[in-house]
Amino acid sequence: AQTVTQSQPEMSVQEAETVTLSCTYDTSESDYYLFWYKQPPSRQMILVIRQEAYKQQNATENRFSVNFQKAAKSFSLKISDSQLGDAAMYFCAYTRYGNKLVFGAGTILRVKS
Amino acid sequence: NAGVMQNPRHLVRRRGQEARLRCSPMKGHSHVYWYRQLPEEGLKFMVYLQKENIIDESGMPKERFSAEFPKEGPSILRIQQVVRGDSAAYFCASSPPGFPQVSYEQYFGPGTRLTVT
């Protein structure tokens, strides 16, 4: 069974600085998708960024980028120029072929002003 | 295009009562997923449905829980004889039809927070 591990229960970053959230996963498949979701206090799940496993190029969305290391089964999220609105719980997730999402336990990100 | 709708947003039930959670997917979406988030935990998959079919219910508790997605109307997650341990946030997500899908992205609703007293 696929598993997703987020080893950092909580992280802090100073406003305007950069922070990296870690995620590792376990799968025997070669084709799959990885996601980072943000959950602010409102509890709404917001997609931050996606990565297709067959693409070697790391995905980027404005201030958010990933470091996808397929062989190491690692998928970290880098947030540049952190803003107060980035404070939230962040979940890493795995899926294959539109089936269920497997989530990690989450990392709480606190942003200090 | 309206997003995924869930109602009610908050539901309070006494132990032993039934809870019905509703989910209307995004327009044009025919795949619905239900997830449960216990306090201080990540989301856990419960069930995956397409119109009138249960595709994967491997995450559903064997008793008291059921789900449906009829041809017409919203998807319903039903919990019979609720217990305190059922208190959680229940999220519905939807995705468009077709294979292979472009991104396999699931669009989430705002969730229903169930409190069992």
Side-chain angles (χ1 to χ4, degrees):
Chain A
Q2 294 85 8
T3 58
V4 176
T5 302
Q6 293 179 249
S7 58
Q8 306 154 316
E10 190 170 328
M11 293 284 284
S12 292
V13 63
Q14 200 70 32
E15 202 175 0
E17 298 292 310
T18 295
V19 65
T20 298
L21 309 184
S22 301
C23 173
T24 58
Y25 57 95
D26 187 24
T27 183
S28 58
E29 306 294 343
S30 58
D31 293 327
Y32 48 87
Y33 288 75
L34 296 164
F35 303 89
W36 278 98
Y37 280 89
K38 170 185 177 181
Q39 187 179 45
S42 67
R43 288 189 163 263
Q44 176 71 53
M45 293 291 286
I46 302 165
L47 179 66
V48 174
I49 199 165
R50 73 173 67 85
Q51 175 78 45
E52 294 90 336
Y54 65 85
K55 289 187 178 178
Q56 291 186 335
Q57 187 173 4
N58 289 324
T60 299
E61 288 286 342
N62 300 315
R63 297 183 295 106
F64 299 87
S65 61
V66 298
N67 184 3
F68 173 48
Q69 302 288 330
K70 191 172 184 179
K73 296 180 183 176
S74 171
F75 181 60
S76 60
L77 174 70
K78 186 171 83 170
I79 306 174
S80 304
D81 185 24
S82 297
Q83 300 174 1
L84 294 177
D86 295 333
M89 177 77 91
Y90 286 81
F91 292 102
C92 178
Y94 163 103
T95 191
R96 188 167 185 269
Y97 294 147
N99 209 324
K100 62 187 177 186
L101 285 166
V102 178
F103 286 90
T107 297
I108 298 172
L109 177 66
R110 303 193 192 281
V111 181
K112 301 175 185 174
S113 58
Chain B
N1 188 10
V4 178
M5 311 283 284
Q6 288 189 250
N7 66 79
R9 294 291 308 274
H10 299 275
L11 182 62
V12 180
R13 286 285 178 268
R14 290 197 181 99
R15 280 179 296 171
Q17 291 185 320
E18 178 179 288
R20 281 184 178 240
L21 287 62
R22 294 175 183 76
C23 169
S24 296
M26 287 180 71
K27 186 176 181 180
H29 286 194
S30 57
H31 299 217
V32 166
Y33 311 79
W34 285 94
Y35 296 86
R36 177 165 66 176
Q37 184 177 30
L38 294 170
E40 310 302 326
E41 293 188 13
L43 280 73
K44 295 284 197 281
F45 168 78
M46 299 182 75
V47 62
Y48 165 30
L49 310 105
Q50 293 179 18
K51 285 284 187 181
E52 299 184 281
N53 285 305
I54 296 176
I55 306 303
D56 180 358
E57 56 181 348
S58 58
M60 286 278 271
K62 293 289 184 277
E63 297 178 352
R64 303 187 298 108
F65 285 73
S66 62
E68 63 176 4
F69 188 17
K71 188 177 179 181
E72 301 290 337
S75 175
I76 306 287
L77 178 67
R78 182 182 177 205
I79 310 172
Q80 295 178 290
Q81 299 175 325
V82 296
V83 300
R84 288 219 172 103
D86 297 332
S87 294
Y90 291 82
F91 289 91
C92 168
S94 72
S95 65
F99 181 88
Q101 295 180 31
V102 175
S103 69
Y104 300 102
E105 178 179 336
Q106 295 180 17
Y107 299 80
F108 281 82
T112 293
R113 186 188 292 261
L114 172 65
T115 302
V116 179
T117 61

